[in-house]
Amino acid sequence: FTCENSHTFCRDHTVGGREVVENQIDEDGEGIDPYEIPSKYCPCCMFDKVADFDIVAYFLKEKGMTREEVASMFKDRFKTYDEFNKYTRAE
């Protein structure tokens, strides 16, 4: 399925279950277009699943930073990408 906000997700991750959407009838008496699923059935729009790029956009906005500023912080703090990976994946 693809929602009205262009998120793509499999039928099994539909909010409320795939049957909810598959059994819906729109105002014209026709089934819902699988490429324009209402956002209320989308796991991304309902924040059941949050895309990485949405997390990044949110934190950049919250911190008042740009991608360039964060990239500069990476360069200042880490010598290599491997070093960055070890830091970000450490438990």
Side-chain angles (χ1 to χ4, degrees):
F1 290 144
T2 301
C3 79
E4 59 190 298
N5 292 312
S6 299
H7 297 122
T8 302
F9 54 98
C10 76
R11 295 171 189 260
D12 293 331
H13 289 109
T14 302
V15 175
R18 67 188 288 174
E19 297 82 17
V20 174
V21 172
E22 289 173 348
N23 295 327
Q24 290 294 314
I25 305 295
D26 65 16
E27 308 82 49
D28 300 324
E30 297 181 15
I32 293 177
D33 181 346
Y35 298 102
E36 287 193 25
I37 299 295
S39 61
K40 67 182 180 180
Y41 299 116
C42 173
C44 298
C45 292
M46 300 308 295
F47 299 111
D48 289 348
K49 304 286 182 191
V50 181
D52 290 343
F53 59 85
D54 288 331
I55 292 171
V56 170
Y58 173 81
F59 278 106
L60 288 174
K61 181 75 170 181
E62 279 291 301
K63 299 295 181 184
M65 299 180 74
T66 65
R67 295 177 77 83
E68 292 77 18
E69 290 170 323
V70 174
S72 178
M73 289 173 60
F74 288 179
K75 288 179 184 179
D76 291 343
R77 184 163 181 181
F78 305 104
K79 292 180 181 148
T80 66
Y81 186 69
D82 286 338
E83 190 178 309
F84 169 78
N85 273 329
K86 286 177 186 171
Y87 174 78
T88 58
R89 297 192 181 27
E91 294 182 16

